[in-house]
Amino acid sequence: MDKFNCTSRLSRISEKVVLCQSDTTVGFSSQNAKKLQEIKNRKPSKSFIKIFKDLKKLNKLGPRIPEKFKNSLRRANKSSFIVKNIAFRIANNSINSQIFRDISWHYSTSANETGKNFNREFCEEKADIIIENKDGLRELSSSSLFKINQIKRKK
């Protein structure tokens, strides 16, 4: 685990695995999907949710969103979406401190071994950086998941 007071000292943040409390539950975040797969012992065929900074970044880098769902997506709270088999969320007021301020997207997954509950010791061992506020890290409910196509939205 690296302990820094200044984010400018962090080299290649895109390669790091960050343990942090999100708006839903505690999770691992990184731009390196392979590192997350190794930590979670997850099959490579199972993808991760991609977290975008805002709707502009999603429109630029993510899947094309059907026009009739853009407004509900913009207003969504604690929700993840699947469009054309790509899972994503928009987390514009993220608790992830300034570490992700210059990164327009990152992968995210719950902070646990696949099929197990949150274990702080396991997570601290696997994370490169830990972001924790005064409330600490706690396992809460995950986000709602919606599948969107051109016609309908299904929970």
Side-chain angles (χ1 to χ4, degrees):
M1 174 177 71
D2 297 332
K3 291 187 180 183
F4 295 112
N5 293 328
C6 176
T7 57
S8 63
R9 293 184 186 174
L10 296 173
S11 61
R12 304 198 62 190
I13 188 68
S14 61
E15 297 297 319
K16 304 283 185 183
V17 174
V18 179
L19 175 66
C20 59
Q21 183 74 39
S22 71
D23 57 340
T24 53
T25 191
V26 62
F28 290 120
S29 297
S30 180
Q31 283 191 317
N32 189 337
K34 289 188 185 226
K35 269 187 147 179
L36 292 175
Q37 285 173 345
E38 289 173 13
I39 289 170
K40 298 272 293 179
N41 293 323
R42 194 175 200 174
K43 294 177 185 174
S45 60
K46 190 171 181 183
S47 61
F48 294 100
I49 291 178
K50 210 171 189 179
I51 308 292
F52 288 95
K53 190 179 206 173
D54 54 32
L55 194 58
K56 280 184 179 180
K57 297 296 180 188
L58 171 66
N59 288 335
K60 187 176 180 182
L61 303 170
R64 185 161 187 238
I65 309 301
E67 193 66 39
K68 72 187 235 178
F69 296 113
K70 284 186 179 179
N71 197 31
S72 62
L73 197 110
R74 186 179 294 113
R75 299 175 194 276
N77 188 16
K78 298 183 181 182
S79 300
S80 299
F81 300 91
I82 299 173
V83 175
K84 296 182 181 175
N85 293 326
I86 298 172
F88 64 90
R89 290 184 65 200
I90 298 173
N92 52 4
N93 53 353
S94 178
I95 211 165
N96 294 340
S97 177
Q98 293 181 349
I99 288 185
F100 292 115
R101 85 174 158 214
D102 295 330
I103 297 176
S104 53
W105 66 271
H106 59 276
Y107 294 111
S108 181
T109 184
S110 59
N112 56 17
E113 289 183 84
T114 301
K116 297 183 180 177
N117 290 332
F118 174 67
N119 178 339
R120 187 173 181 106
E121 291 79 30
F122 166 79
C123 295
E124 286 180 354
E125 179 184 310
K126 300 295 183 179
D128 297 318
I129 301 168
I130 299 172
I131 300 173
E132 189 171 354
N133 64 11
K134 63 180 175 142
D135 298 327
L137 299 172
R138 55 190 196 271
E139 188 174 29
L140 302 171
S141 61
S142 59
S143 61
S144 301
L145 186 61
F146 297 95
K147 189 167 187 172
I148 297 175
N149 61 28
Q150 293 294 329
I151 300 165
K152 63 183 177 178
R153 181 176 79 171
K154 182 181 177 182
K155 190 168 185 177

Coordinates of all heavy atoms in Angstrom, one line a residue, residues 17-93:
V17 N -4.4 -0.2 -8.5 CA -5.7 -0.7 -8.0 C -6.0 0.1 -6.8 O -5.3 0.1 -5.8 CB -5.7 -2.2 -7.7 CG1 -7.0 -2.6 -7.1 CG2 -5.4 -3.0 -9.0
V18 N -7.2 0.8 -6.8 CA -7.6 1.7 -5.7 C -8.7 1.0 -5.0 O -9.7 0.6 -5.6 CB -8.0 3.1 -6.3 CG1 -8.4 4.0 -5.2 CG2 -6.9 3.7 -7.1
L19 N -8.6 1.0 -3.7 CA -9.7 0.5 -2.8 C -10.4 1.8 -2.3 O -9.8 2.6 -1.6 CB -9.2 -0.3 -1.7 CG -10.2 -0.8 -0.6 CD1 -11.2 -1.8 -1.2 CD2 -9.5 -1.4 0.6
C20 N -11.7 1.9 -2.5 CA -12.4 3.1 -2.0 C -13.9 2.8 -1.9 O -14.4 1.9 -2.4 CB -12.2 4.3 -3.0 SG -12.8 3.9 -4.7
Q21 N -14.5 3.7 -1.1 CA -16.0 3.7 -0.9 C -16.6 4.4 -2.1 O -16.3 5.6 -2.3 CB -16.3 4.3 0.4 CG -17.8 4.3 0.8 CD -18.2 2.9 1.2 OE1 -17.5 2.2 1.9 NE2 -19.4 2.4 0.8
S22 N -17.5 3.8 -2.8 CA -18.2 4.5 -3.9 C -19.5 5.0 -3.3 O -19.8 4.8 -2.1 CB -18.4 3.5 -5.0 OG -19.4 2.5 -4.7
D23 N -20.4 5.5 -4.2 CA -21.7 5.9 -3.7 C -22.6 4.7 -3.3 O -23.6 4.9 -2.7 CB -22.4 6.8 -4.8 CG -22.5 6.1 -6.1 OD1 -21.8 5.1 -6.4 OD2 -23.4 6.6 -6.9
T24 N -22.2 3.5 -3.7 CA -23.0 2.4 -3.4 C -22.3 1.5 -2.4 O -22.8 1.3 -1.3 CB -23.4 1.5 -4.6 OG1 -22.2 1.2 -5.3 CG2 -24.3 2.3 -5.5
T25 N -21.2 0.9 -2.7 CA -20.5 0.0 -1.8 C -19.0 0.2 -1.9 O -18.5 0.9 -2.8 CB -20.9 -1.5 -2.0 OG1 -20.5 -2.3 -1.0 CG2 -20.5 -2.0 -3.4
V26 N -18.2 -0.5 -1.1 CA -16.8 -0.5 -1.2 C -16.3 -1.3 -2.4 O -16.9 -2.3 -2.7 CB -16.1 -1.0 0.1 CG1 -16.4 -2.4 0.4 CG2 -14.6 -0.7 0.1
G27 N -15.3 -0.8 -3.1 CA -14.9 -1.4 -4.3 C -13.5 -1.2 -4.7 O -12.8 -0.3 -4.2
F28 N -13.0 -2.0 -5.7 CA -11.7 -1.8 -6.3 C -12.0 -1.0 -7.6 O -12.9 -1.3 -8.4 CB -11.1 -3.2 -6.7 CG -10.6 -4.0 -5.6 CD1 -11.1 -5.2 -5.3 CD2 -9.7 -3.5 -4.7 CE1 -10.7 -6.0 -4.3 CE2 -9.2 -4.3 -3.6 CZ -9.7 -5.5 -3.4
S29 N -11.1 -0.1 -7.9 CA -11.1 0.7 -9.2 C -9.8 0.7 -9.8 O -8.8 0.8 -9.1 CB -11.6 2.1 -8.9 OG -12.9 2.1 -8.3
S30 N -9.8 0.6 -11.1 CA -8.5 0.6 -11.9 C -8.8 0.8 -13.4 O -9.9 0.4 -13.8 CB -7.7 -0.6 -11.6 OG -6.5 -0.6 -12.4
Q31 N -7.9 1.2 -14.1 CA -8.0 1.2 -15.6 C -7.4 -0.1 -16.1 O -7.5 -0.4 -17.3 CB -7.3 2.4 -16.2 CG -8.2 3.6 -16.1 CD -7.6 4.8 -17.0 OE1 -6.5 5.0 -17.0 NE2 -8.5 5.4 -17.6
N32 N -6.8 -1.0 -15.3 CA -6.2 -2.2 -15.7 C -7.1 -3.4 -15.3 O -7.1 -3.9 -14.2 CB -4.9 -2.3 -14.9 CG -4.0 -3.5 -15.4 OD1 -4.6 -4.4 -16.0 ND2 -2.7 -3.4 -15.2
A33 N -7.9 -3.8 -16.3 CA -8.8 -4.9 -16.1 C -8.1 -6.2 -15.7 O -8.7 -7.0 -14.9 CB -9.7 -5.1 -17.3
K34 N -6.9 -6.5 -16.2 CA -6.2 -7.7 -15.9 C -5.9 -7.8 -14.5 O -6.0 -8.9 -13.9 CB -5.0 -7.9 -16.8 CG -5.3 -8.1 -18.2 CD -4.1 -8.5 -19.0 CE -4.5 -8.6 -20.5 NZ -4.0 -9.7 -21.2
K35 N -5.4 -6.7 -13.9 CA -5.1 -6.7 -12.5 C -6.4 -7.0 -11.6 O -6.3 -7.7 -10.7 CB -4.5 -5.3 -12.0 CG -3.1 -5.2 -12.1 CD -2.6 -3.9 -11.5 CE -1.3 -4.1 -10.9 NZ -0.8 -2.8 -10.3
L36 N -7.5 -6.4 -12.0 CA -8.7 -6.7 -11.3 C -9.2 -8.1 -11.4 O -9.6 -8.7 -10.5 CB -9.8 -5.7 -11.8 CG -9.7 -4.3 -11.5 CD1 -10.8 -3.4 -12.1 CD2 -9.7 -4.0 -10.0
Q37 N -9.0 -8.7 -12.6 CA -9.3 -10.1 -12.8 C -8.5 -11.0 -11.9 O -9.0 -12.0 -11.3 CB -9.1 -10.5 -14.3 CG -10.2 -10.0 -15.2 CD -9.8 -10.3 -16.6 OE1 -8.7 -10.6 -17.0 NE2 -10.8 -10.1 -17.5
E38 N -7.2 -10.7 -11.8 CA -6.3 -11.5 -10.9 C -6.7 -11.4 -9.4 O -6.8 -12.4 -8.7 CB -4.9 -11.0 -11.1 CG -4.2 -11.3 -12.4 CD -2.9 -10.7 -12.5 OE1 -2.3 -10.2 -11.6 OE2 -2.4 -10.7 -13.7
I39 N -7.0 -10.2 -9.0 CA -7.4 -10.0 -7.6 C -8.7 -10.7 -7.3 O -8.8 -11.4 -6.3 CB -7.6 -8.5 -7.3 CG1 -6.3 -7.8 -7.3 CG2 -8.4 -8.3 -6.0 CD1 -6.4 -6.3 -7.3
K40 N -9.7 -10.7 -8.2 CA -11.0 -11.3 -8.0 C -11.1 -12.8 -8.3 O -12.1 -13.4 -8.1 CB -12.1 -10.5 -8.8 CG -12.2 -9.1 -8.4 CD -13.2 -8.9 -7.3 CE -14.6 -9.2 -7.7 NZ -15.6 -9.0 -6.7
N41 N -10.0 -13.3 -9.0 CA -10.0 -14.7 -9.5 C -11.2 -14.9 -10.4 O -12.0 -15.8 -10.3 CB -10.0 -15.7 -8.4 CG -8.7 -15.7 -7.6 OD1 -7.7 -15.6 -8.2 ND2 -8.9 -15.9 -6.3
R42 N -11.4 -13.9 -11.3 CA -12.5 -13.9 -12.2 C -12.2 -14.3 -13.6 O -11.1 -14.1 -14.1 CB -13.0 -12.4 -12.2 CG -14.3 -12.1 -12.8 CD -14.6 -10.7 -12.6 NE -16.0 -10.4 -12.7 CZ -16.5 -9.2 -12.5 NH1 -15.7 -8.2 -12.1 NH2 -17.8 -9.0 -12.6
K43 N -13.1 -15.0 -14.3 CA -12.9 -15.4 -15.6 C -12.8 -14.2 -16.6 O -13.5 -13.2 -16.4 CB -14.1 -16.2 -16.1 CG -14.3 -17.5 -15.4 CD -15.6 -18.2 -15.8 CE -15.8 -19.5 -15.0 NZ -17.1 -20.1 -15.3
P44 N -11.8 -14.3 -17.5 CA -11.6 -13.2 -18.4 C -12.9 -12.8 -19.3 O -13.0 -11.7 -19.8 CB -10.5 -13.6 -19.3 CG -9.8 -14.7 -18.6 CD -10.8 -15.3 -17.7
S45 N -13.7 -13.8 -19.4 CA -14.9 -13.6 -20.3 C -15.9 -12.7 -19.6 O -16.8 -12.1 -20.2 CB -15.6 -14.9 -20.6 OG -16.0 -15.6 -19.4
K46 N -15.8 -12.5 -18.2 CA -16.8 -11.7 -17.5 C -16.2 -10.3 -17.4 O -15.1 -10.1 -16.8 CB -17.0 -12.3 -16.1 CG -18.1 -11.6 -15.4 CD -18.5 -12.3 -14.1 CE -19.7 -11.6 -13.4 NZ -20.0 -12.2 -12.2
S47 N -16.9 -9.3 -17.9 CA -16.3 -7.9 -17.9 C -16.7 -7.2 -16.7 O -17.5 -7.6 -15.8 CB -16.9 -7.2 -19.2 OG -18.3 -7.1 -19.1
F48 N -16.1 -6.0 -16.5 CA -16.3 -5.1 -15.4 C -17.1 -3.9 -15.8 O -17.2 -3.6 -17.0 CB -14.9 -4.6 -14.9 CG -14.1 -5.7 -14.3 CD1 -13.0 -6.2 -15.0 CD2 -14.3 -6.2 -13.0 CE1 -12.2 -7.2 -14.5 CE2 -13.5 -7.2 -12.5 CZ -12.5 -7.7 -13.2
I49 N -17.7 -3.3 -14.8 CA -18.5 -2.1 -15.0 C -17.5 -1.0 -15.3 O -16.5 -0.8 -14.5 CB -19.4 -1.8 -13.8 CG1 -20.5 -2.8 -13.8 CG2 -20.0 -0.4 -14.0 CD1 -21.5 -2.6 -12.6
K50 N -17.8 -0.2 -16.3 CA -16.9 1.0 -16.6 C -17.6 2.2 -16.0 O -18.7 2.5 -16.3 CB -16.8 1.1 -18.1 CG -15.5 1.7 -18.6 CD -15.4 1.6 -20.1 CE -14.0 1.9 -20.6 NZ -13.9 1.8 -22.0
I51 N -16.8 2.9 -15.2 CA -17.4 4.1 -14.5 C -16.9 5.4 -15.3 O -15.7 5.5 -15.5 CB -16.9 4.3 -13.1 CG1 -17.1 3.0 -12.3 CG2 -17.5 5.5 -12.4 CD1 -18.6 2.7 -12.0
F52 N -17.8 6.2 -15.8 CA -17.5 7.4 -16.5 C -17.6 8.6 -15.6 O -18.5 8.6 -14.7 CB -18.3 7.5 -17.7 CG -18.0 6.6 -18.8 CD1 -18.7 5.4 -18.9 CD2 -17.0 6.8 -19.7 CE1 -18.4 4.4 -19.9 CE2 -16.7 5.9 -20.7 CZ -17.4 4.7 -20.8
K53 N -16.8 9.6 -15.8 CA -16.8 10.8 -15.0 C -18.1 11.6 -15.2 O -18.6 12.2 -14.3 CB -15.6 11.6 -15.5 CG -15.3 12.8 -14.7 CD -14.1 13.5 -15.3 CE -13.3 14.3 -14.3 NZ -12.0 14.8 -14.9
D54 N -18.6 11.7 -16.4 CA -19.8 12.4 -16.8 C -20.4 11.9 -18.1 O -19.8 11.1 -18.8 CB -19.6 13.9 -16.8 CG -18.4 14.3 -17.7 OD1 -18.2 13.7 -18.8 OD2 -17.7 15.3 -17.4
L55 N -21.5 12.5 -18.4 CA -22.2 12.0 -19.6 C -21.4 12.4 -20.9 O -21.5 11.6 -21.9 CB -23.6 12.6 -19.7 CG -24.6 12.0 -20.7 CD1 -24.8 10.5 -20.4 CD2 -25.9 12.7 -20.7
K56 N -20.7 13.5 -20.9 CA -19.9 13.8 -22.1 C -18.9 12.8 -22.4 O -18.6 12.4 -23.5 CB -19.2 15.2 -21.8 CG -20.1 16.4 -22.0 CD -19.2 17.6 -21.9 CE -20.0 18.9 -22.1 NZ -19.2 20.1 -21.9
K57 N -18.2 12.3 -21.3 CA -17.2 11.3 -21.5 C -17.8 10.0 -22.0 O -17.2 9.3 -22.8 CB -16.4 11.0 -20.2 CG -15.6 12.2 -19.7 CD -14.5 12.6 -20.7 CE -13.8 13.9 -20.2 NZ -12.9 14.4 -21.2
L58 N -19.0 9.6 -21.4 CA -19.7 8.4 -21.9 C -20.0 8.5 -23.4 O -19.8 7.6 -24.1 CB -20.9 8.2 -21.1 CG -21.9 7.1 -21.6 CD1 -21.2 5.8 -21.4 CD2 -23.2 7.1 -20.8
N59 N -20.5 9.7 -23.8 CA -20.9 9.9 -25.2 C -19.7 9.8 -26.1 O -19.7 9.3 -27.2 CB -21.6 11.2 -25.4 CG -23.0 11.2 -24.8 OD1 -23.6 10.2 -24.7 ND2 -23.5 12.4 -24.5
K60 N -18.5 10.2 -25.6 CA -17.3 10.2 -26.4 C -16.6 8.8 -26.4 O -16.2 8.4 -27.5 CB -16.3 11.2 -25.8 CG -15.1 11.4 -26.6 CD -14.2 12.5 -26.1 CE -13.0 12.8 -26.9 NZ -12.1 13.8 -26.3
L61 N -16.6 8.1 -25.3 CA -15.8 6.9 -25.2 C -16.7 5.6 -25.0 O -16.1 4.5 -25.1 CB -14.9 7.0 -24.0 CG -13.9 8.2 -24.0 CD1 -13.2 8.3 -22.6 CD2 -12.9 8.0 -25.1
G62 N -17.9 5.7 -24.6 CA -18.7 4.6 -24.3 C -19.7 4.2 -25.5 O -19.5 4.7 -26.6
P63 N -20.6 3.3 -25.2 CA -21.5 2.9 -26.2 C -22.5 4.0 -26.5 O -22.7 4.9 -25.8 CB -22.3 1.7 -25.6 CG -22.2 2.0 -24.1 CD -20.9 2.7 -23.9
R64 N -23.1 3.9 -27.7 CA -24.1 4.9 -28.1 C -25.4 4.6 -27.4 O -26.0 3.5 -27.4 CB -24.4 4.8 -29.6 CG -25.3 5.9 -30.1 CD -25.1 6.2 -31.5 NE -25.9 7.3 -31.9 CZ -26.9 7.3 -32.7 NH1 -27.2 6.2 -33.4 NH2 -27.6 8.4 -32.9
I65 N -25.9 5.7 -26.7 CA -27.1 5.6 -25.9 C -28.3 6.0 -26.7 O -28.3 7.0 -27.4 CB -27.0 6.5 -24.6 CG1 -25.7 6.3 -23.9 CG2 -28.3 6.3 -23.7 CD1 -25.5 4.9 -23.4
P66 N -29.4 5.1 -26.7 CA -30.6 5.5 -27.4 C -31.1 6.9 -26.9 O -31.1 7.1 -25.7 CB -31.6 4.4 -27.1 CG -30.7 3.2 -26.8 CD -29.5 3.8 -26.1
E67 N -31.5 7.7 -27.8 CA -31.9 9.1 -27.5 C -33.0 9.2 -26.4 O -33.0 10.0 -25.5 CB -32.4 9.8 -28.7 CG -32.6 11.3 -28.6 CD -31.3 12.0 -28.4 OE1 -30.3 11.6 -29.0 OE2 -31.2 13.0 -27.6
K68 N -34.0 8.3 -26.4 CA -35.1 8.3 -25.5 C -34.7 8.0 -24.1 O -35.5 8.2 -23.1 CB -36.3 7.5 -26.0 CG -36.1 6.0 -25.9 CD -37.2 5.3 -26.5 CE -37.9 4.3 -25.6 NZ -39.0 3.7 -26.2
F69 N -33.5 7.4 -23.8 CA -33.1 7.1 -22.5 C -32.0 8.0 -21.9 O -31.6 7.9 -20.8 CB -32.6 5.6 -22.4 CG -33.6 4.6 -22.8 CD1 -33.6 3.9 -23.9 CD2 -34.7 4.5 -21.9 CE1 -34.6 3.0 -24.2 CE2 -35.7 3.6 -22.2 CZ -35.6 2.8 -23.3
K70 N -31.5 9.0 -22.7 CA -30.4 9.8 -22.3 C -30.8 10.7 -21.0 O -30.0 10.8 -20.1 CB -30.0 10.8 -23.4 CG -29.1 10.1 -24.4 CD -28.6 11.0 -25.4 CE -27.7 10.2 -26.4 NZ -27.2 11.1 -27.4
N71 N -32.0 11.2 -21.0 CA -32.5 12.0 -19.9 C -32.6 11.2 -18.6 O -32.1 11.6 -17.5 CB -33.8 12.7 -20.2 CG -34.1 13.8 -19.2 OD1 -33.2 14.5 -18.8 ND2 -35.3 14.1 -19.0
S72 N -33.1 10.0 -18.7 CA -33.2 9.1 -17.5 C -31.8 8.7 -17.0 O -31.6 8.5 -15.8 CB -34.1 7.9 -17.7 OG -33.6 7.1 -18.7
L73 N -30.9 8.5 -18.0 CA -29.6 8.1 -17.6 C -28.9 9.2 -16.9 O -28.1 9.0 -16.0 CB -28.8 7.7 -18.9 CG -27.6 7.0 -18.7 CD1 -27.8 5.6 -19.3 CD2 -26.5 7.6 -19.5
R74 N -29.1 10.4 -17.4 CA -28.5 11.6 -16.8 C -29.0 11.8 -15.3 O -28.2 12.2 -14.5 CB -28.9 12.9 -17.6 CG -28.2 14.1 -17.2 CD -28.6 15.3 -18.0 NE -28.1 15.2 -19.4 CZ -28.9 15.0 -20.5 NH1 -30.2 15.0 -20.3 NH2 -28.4 14.9 -21.7
R75 N -30.2 11.5 -15.0 CA -30.8 11.7 -13.7 C -30.7 10.4 -12.8 O -31.0 10.5 -11.6 CB -32.3 12.0 -13.8 CG -32.5 13.3 -14.6 CD -34.0 13.5 -14.8 NE -34.3 14.5 -15.7 CZ -34.3 15.8 -15.5 NH1 -34.0 16.2 -14.3 NH2 -34.6 16.7 -16.4
A76 N -30.1 9.4 -13.3 CA -30.0 8.1 -12.6 C -29.1 8.3 -11.3 O -28.1 9.0 -11.3 CB -29.5 7.0 -13.5
N77 N -29.6 7.6 -10.3 CA -28.8 7.6 -9.0 C -28.6 6.2 -8.6 O -29.5 5.4 -8.5 CB -29.7 8.4 -8.0 CG -28.9 8.7 -6.7 OD1 -27.7 8.5 -6.7 ND2 -29.6 9.0 -5.7
K78 N -27.4 5.8 -8.3 CA -27.0 4.5 -7.9 C -27.5 3.4 -8.8 O -28.1 2.4 -8.4 CB -27.5 4.2 -6.4 CG -26.9 5.2 -5.4 CD -27.4 4.9 -4.0 CE -26.7 5.8 -3.0 NZ -27.1 5.6 -1.7
S79 N -27.3 3.7 -10.1 CA -27.7 2.8 -11.2 C -26.6 2.5 -12.1 O -25.9 3.3 -12.5 CB -28.9 3.4 -11.9 OG -30.0 3.6 -11.1
S80 N -26.6 1.2 -12.6 CA -25.7 0.8 -13.7 C -26.5 0.4 -14.9 O -27.7 0.0 -14.7 CB -24.8 -0.4 -13.2 OG -24.1 0.0 -12.1
F81 N -25.9 0.5 -16.0 CA -26.7 0.2 -17.3 C -25.9 -0.7 -18.2 O -24.6 -0.7 -18.1 CB -26.9 1.5 -18.0 CG -27.8 2.5 -17.2 CD1 -27.1 3.4 -16.4 CD2 -29.1 2.5 -17.2 CE1 -27.9 4.3 -15.6 CE2 -29.9 3.3 -16.5 CZ -29.2 4.3 -15.7
I82 N -26.6 -1.5 -19.0 CA -25.9 -2.3 -20.0 C -26.5 -1.9 -21.3 O -27.8 -1.9 -21.5 CB -26.2 -3.8 -19.7 CG1 -25.7 -4.2 -18.4 CG2 -25.6 -4.7 -20.9 CD1 -26.0 -5.7 -18.0
V83 N -25.7 -1.5 -22.3 CA -26.1 -1.2 -23.6 C -25.1 -2.0 -24.5 O -23.9 -1.8 -24.4 CB -25.9 0.3 -23.9 CG1 -26.2 0.6 -25.4 CG2 -26.9 1.1 -23.0
K84 N -25.7 -2.8 -25.4 CA -24.9 -3.6 -26.3 C -23.8 -4.4 -25.6 O -22.6 -4.4 -26.0 CB -24.3 -2.7 -27.4 CG -25.4 -2.1 -28.3 CD -24.8 -1.3 -29.4 CE -25.9 -0.7 -30.2 NZ -25.4 0.2 -31.2
N85 N -24.2 -5.0 -24.5 CA -23.3 -5.9 -23.7 C -22.1 -5.1 -23.1 O -21.1 -5.7 -22.7 CB -22.8 -7.1 -24.5 CG -23.9 -8.0 -24.8 OD1 -24.9 -8.2 -24.0 ND2 -23.9 -8.7 -25.9
I86 N -22.2 -3.8 -22.9 CA -21.2 -3.0 -22.2 C -21.9 -2.4 -21.0 O -22.9 -1.7 -21.1 CB -20.7 -1.9 -23.1 CG1 -20.0 -2.5 -24.4 CG2 -19.7 -1.0 -22.4 CD1 -19.6 -1.5 -25.4
A87 N -21.3 -2.8 -19.8 CA -21.9 -2.3 -18.5 C -21.2 -1.0 -18.1 O -19.9 -0.9 -18.2 CB -21.7 -3.4 -17.5
F88 N -21.9 0.0 -17.7 CA -21.3 1.3 -17.3 C -22.2 2.0 -16.3 O -23.3 1.7 -16.0 CB -21.1 2.2 -18.5 CG -22.4 2.6 -19.2 CD1 -23.1 3.7 -18.8 CD2 -22.9 1.8 -20.2 CE1 -24.2 4.1 -19.4 CE2 -24.1 2.1 -20.8 CZ -24.8 3.3 -20.4
R89 N -21.6 3.0 -15.6 CA -22.2 3.9 -14.7 C -21.7 5.3 -14.9 O -20.6 5.4 -15.4 CB -21.9 3.5 -13.2 CG -22.6 2.3 -12.8 CD -22.3 2.0 -11.3 NE -23.0 3.1 -10.6 CZ -22.7 3.4 -9.3 NH1 -21.7 2.8 -8.7 NH2 -23.3 4.3 -8.7
I90 N -22.4 6.3 -14.5 CA -21.9 7.6 -14.5 C -21.9 8.0 -13.0 O -22.9 8.0 -12.3 CB -22.9 8.6 -15.3 CG1 -22.9 8.2 -16.7 CG2 -22.4 10.0 -15.1 CD1 -23.9 8.9 -17.6
A91 N -20.7 8.4 -12.6 CA -20.5 8.7 -11.2 C -19.8 10.1 -11.1 O -18.6 10.2 -10.9 CB -19.7 7.7 -10.4
N92 N -20.6 11.1 -11.3 CA -20.0 12.5 -11.5 C -19.6 13.1 -10.1 O -18.7 13.9 -10.0 CB -20.9 13.4 -12.2 CG -22.3 13.4 -11.7 OD1 -22.6 12.8 -10.7 ND2 -23.2 14.1 -12.4
N93 N -20.3 12.7 -9.0 CA -19.9 13.2 -7.7 C -19.3 12.1 -6.9 O -19.8 11.8 -5.8 CB -21.1 13.9 -7.0 CG -22.3 13.0 -7.0 OD1 -22.3 11.9 -7.5 ND2 -23.3 13.5 -6.3

